[in-house]
Amino acid sequence: MTEALINHISRYISLPEHDAGAISGYFTPLSFRKKENLMAAGQVCRNHYFVVKGCLRLFFIDEKGSEQTIQFALENWWLADYTSFSNQKTSAFYIQAVENSAVLAIDVHKQEQLLAQFPALERYFRIIHQRAHAAAQYRQQYTHDMTREEMYLHFAQSYPDFVQRVPQYLLASFLGFTPEYLSEIRSRNRT
Amino acid sequence: MTEALINHISRYISLPEHDAGAISGYFTPLSFRKKENLMAAGQVCRNHYFVVKGCLRLFFIDEKGSEQTIQFALENWWLADYTSFSNQKTSAFYIQAVENSAVLAIDVHKQEQLLAQFPALERYFRIIHQRAHAAAQYRQQYTHDMTREEMYLHFAQSYPDFVQRVPQYLLASFLGFTPEYLSEIRSRNRT
């Protein structure tokens, strides 16, 4: 199961073959059923998750009691509440499986040990976080500049598999509109 | 001028003293006058900037012609359009000096050389980007959950120096309201 992770790391840094086993040993393989919580608000985000199969999401429950999704993670994506994970303080977020999912988990102490033993992985995680930081900069522009319909079309074009896989009510919540409005947009743009 | 950078790096990783000079050599010190552009939309983001003195901002011009600020960088903060910087593709953003500013600049090729010569700096930049990623997760929650007044108060409490220094019209644009509304909030909350 760690093969997916080793392959992903190898896309960004060159990894001597004999390191793969030792790196894999730091991770715990876990399985979650669809809609199962990996973490709930009020808990500390104990683990950093790498998705081997399935899909996770990070969300919070707003003042009206609605779930607001702010990040998804498909295969080969990482997910954590990074504030809570780094400081081991309480999180305001939930992490939940969108589909039945197989993940690799590593806690913050083991991650520090891993990085101490294999400092080359700092580069791998630097690239992962730099990309997420870059995406957050442009997301702010899209949110401001695009109509909701444009947001959906941009998203559907950039991540076609994702739009097919994720349940419509979650996609709608992520893009900030109602499921009814999403289904209107979809039928308008179907050719 | 590179002393500030070396001090900042030393907060996160242990840096042998004899490396400081070689690291400094990779950076070009530059000065910008208030309101001077370091980069304009349509250009490639050639440099990654470290603020030694002053303040920079990253903004775009929306469809109505208004400037929308999405990030500020005070002393010891880094700034770039990371999508444009990494891929050397055209940026949709401007980077501008908010005050007269002294910065250290490094281009993407030099940064790669720097990281190859001093791989320990991967950890430093991993932490910088992880924090920015973490902040972006919570910013999404605040934007959704807080009223504009709560946003301002949260911001004023978290970054008091910043709120004092940045011109009011820029702070208003960053928080998504008019300068008039900001001045209303400020007078309501003055004790």
Side-chain angles (χ1 to χ4, degrees):
Chain A
M1 198 164 127
T2 54
E3 198 187 331
L5 172 61
I6 299 300
N7 287 342
H8 193 248
I9 295 173
S10 303
R11 283 196 216 165
Y12 298 96
I13 61 172
S14 70
L15 202 63
E17 214 170 302
H18 56 84
D19 288 349
I23 291 173
S24 300
Y26 280 93
F27 291 86
T28 306
L30 296 171
S31 292
F32 297 93
R33 308 284 297 171
K34 183 175 173 171
K35 297 207 174 179
E36 197 178 341
N37 281 344
L38 287 69
M39 174 185 85
Q43 299 177 347
V44 169
C45 183
R46 301 241 168 254
N47 290 312
H48 194 186
Y49 297 105
F50 177 80
V51 180
V52 175
K53 193 163 169 43
C55 180
L56 305 180
R57 68 182 177 116
L58 181 78
F59 69 96
F60 63 94
I61 296 180
D62 70 14
E63 291 176 344
K64 293 178 193 151
S66 307
E67 295 179 0
Q68 299 296 332
T69 299
I70 65 166
Q71 279 184 335
F72 286 100
L74 287 172
E75 285 86 4
N76 291 334
W77 294 19
W78 288 89
L79 194 64
D81 169 347
Y82 290 102
T83 306
S84 171
F85 180 71
S86 310
N87 309 321
Q88 293 290 289
K89 291 198 175 150
T90 303
S91 175
F93 295 124
Y94 296 77
I95 296 178
Q96 192 178 78
V98 175
E99 307 170 351
N100 291 342
S101 299
V103 306
L104 295 171
I106 187 166
D107 70 32
V108 72
H109 305 292
K110 279 202 181 160
Q111 185 172 297
E112 278 304 309
Q113 288 166 14
L114 172 70
L115 291 168
Q117 190 180 350
F118 301 99
L121 291 177
E122 292 282 5
R123 180 177 175 83
Y124 170 68
F125 284 110
R126 193 262 299 167
I127 295 169
I128 298 296
H129 286 295
Q130 184 176 314
R131 288 183 168 210
H133 184 186
Q137 292 179 323
Y138 274 86
R139 185 169 172 173
Q140 280 193 66
Q141 191 205 7
Y142 297 148
T143 308
H144 180 91
D145 248 16
M146 291 185 180
T147 65
R148 289 170 172 196
E149 182 154 356
E150 283 167 346
M151 280 270 285
Y152 169 75
L153 295 174
H154 168 78
F155 211 76
Q157 197 167 30
S158 308
Y159 309 102
D161 298 348
F162 177 73
V163 168
Q164 288 307 314
R165 270 173 71 174
V166 167
Q168 293 310 295
Y169 75 98
L170 289 182
L171 185 61
S173 134
F174 179 66
L175 294 171
F177 38 76
T178 61
E180 293 73 25
Y181 185 69
L182 176 59
S183 114
E184 249 181 74
I185 294 176
R186 284 171 72 107
S187 55
R188 246 207 309 279
N189 290 284
R190 209 164 278 144
T191 48
Chain B
M1 197 164 129
T2 55
E3 198 186 331
L5 173 62
I6 299 300
N7 287 342
H8 194 248
I9 294 172
S10 304
R11 284 195 215 166
Y12 298 96
I13 61 171
S14 69
L15 203 63
E17 215 170 303
H18 57 83
D19 288 349
I23 291 173
S24 300
Y26 280 94
F27 290 86
T28 307
L30 296 172
S31 292
F32 296 93
R33 310 284 298 172
K34 183 175 174 173
K35 297 209 174 178
E36 196 177 342
N37 281 345
L38 287 70
M39 174 185 84
Q43 298 176 350
V44 169
C45 183
R46 302 241 166 253
N47 290 312
H48 194 186
Y49 297 105
F50 177 81
V51 180
V52 174
K53 194 163 168 42
C55 180
L56 306 180
R57 67 182 178 117
L58 181 78
F59 69 96
F60 64 93
I61 296 179
D62 70 13
E63 291 177 345
K64 293 177 192 152
S66 306
E67 295 179 0
Q68 300 296 331
T69 299
I70 64 166
Q71 279 184 334
F72 287 100
L74 286 171
E75 284 85 4
N76 290 334
W77 294 18
W78 288 89
L79 194 63
D81 168 348
Y82 291 101
T83 307
S84 172
F85 180 72
S86 310
N87 309 321
Q88 294 289 292
K89 291 199 176 149
T90 303
S91 175
F93 295 125
Y94 295 76
I95 296 178
Q96 192 179 78
V98 175
E99 307 170 351
N100 292 341
S101 299
V103 305
L104 295 171
I106 187 166
D107 70 31
V108 72
H109 303 293
K110 278 202 181 160
Q111 184 171 298
E112 278 303 310
Q113 288 166 13
L114 171 71
L115 291 169
Q117 191 181 348
F118 301 100
L121 291 177
E122 292 282 7
R123 180 175 176 84
Y124 170 69
F125 284 111
R126 193 262 299 165
I127 295 169
I128 297 296
H129 286 296
Q130 185 176 313
R131 288 183 168 210
H133 184 185
Q137 290 179 323
Y138 274 85
R139 183 167 175 176
Q140 280 192 66
Q141 191 204 7
Y142 297 148
T143 309
H144 180 91
D145 247 16
M146 290 184 180
T147 64
R148 289 171 173 195
E149 183 154 357
E150 285 167 344
M151 281 270 286
Y152 169 75
L153 295 173
H154 169 79
F155 211 75
Q157 198 167 31
S158 308
Y159 309 101
D161 300 347
F162 176 74
V163 168
Q164 288 306 314
R165 270 173 70 174
V166 167
Q168 295 310 295
Y169 76 97
L170 288 183
L171 185 60
S173 133
F174 179 65
L175 294 171
F177 39 76
T178 62
E180 292 72 24
Y181 186 69
L182 177 58
S183 110
E184 248 181 75
I185 294 176
R186 284 172 72 109
S187 56
R188 246 206 308 279
N189 290 285
R190 210 165 277 145
T191 49

